[in-house]
Amino acid sequence: MAGEQSSTTRRRIFGALLFLPVIGLFLVSQAVAQWLFVAVAFAMGWELASMLRMHQLLRLSLMFDIALFAIPAPLVVEMELLAGFSLWPVFLALATLIAFFVWKITSNRLAALFTALLLLCILSAREILGFDGGHLTLLSVAAAVAGCDVAAYFVGRHVRGPRLAPVISPKKTRSGAVGGLVGAVLVTMVVGGYNSLSVAEALLAGCCIAILAQSGDLLESALKRNLAIKDSGNLIPGHGGFLDRFDGYLLTLPALYLYMVWAGT
């Protein structure tokens, strides 16, 4: 058992290290980050379509929506200037339509909800990347989500204790959830020091990120259990697929975008 756990941990570390070049490219420039995001969004959409065994027409519709939703913000601005109105209502209508079709074709409300949240997450990330320094904002959130994930994994494995949601995800523990909360707060405090956040603001932001990230993780776990599959894919060693790696952003990024709009960023 100890050997198996050690092997799993090594695979997870190796899988995480594969993202270092991506992080480096994200830091290069906002434009590079926006196109990298397009690739990640496509990967997540393709995995979801495969998980749900979507009919070809619905799969193509989903990928078209993702292509439209994920394109860099400057291109969307140009499209809006040509159209003469904001495209947000169009994006939301398309997302609603795709989620509705998923529900009607699969008769799976959870799948429809997950699809809607994924599209909303992609839209939110695109908009955040359009803000000044948006790529750095996303990296800051990614650091907190990663801190939450890593702390939850190691604390849960070593402390164990009562299960967090045994029906949805038997391996997750309450101790791991608390560890994830502490991990996200600590990382947010460190990152917040470079973003002029007060201790209270960093504490609140870390708690919110941890709760939303772990809720997104549980939501994807519920969908996978509903579909009787273990991972969304196998592209990332020790982590599964892109959806498995980025499910913590499903609720985090829409919440962050709404906050940034409210704060007038």
Side-chain angles (χ1 to χ4, degrees), residues 11 102 105 147 166 168 172 195 198 202 227:
R11 286 199 303 272
V102 169
I105 292 172
I168 296 175
K172 289 182 174 60
N195 295 315
S198 68
L227 298 173

Side-chain angles (χ1 to χ4, degrees), residues 174-226:
R174 295 178 189 176
S175 63
V178 174
L181 182 70
V182 173
V185 168
L186 290 177
V187 172
T188 304
M189 284 184 170
V190 173
V191 174
Y194 294 96
N195 295 315
S196 303
L197 291 182
S198 68
V199 173
E201 289 172 332
L203 178 63
L204 178 60
C207 288
C208 290
I209 289 172
I211 293 169
L212 291 171
Q214 294 188 74
S215 297
D217 191 349
L218 286 173
L219 181 61
E220 199 218 357
S221 294
L223 178 62
K224 289 189 295 185
R225 181 161 287 271
N226 180 273

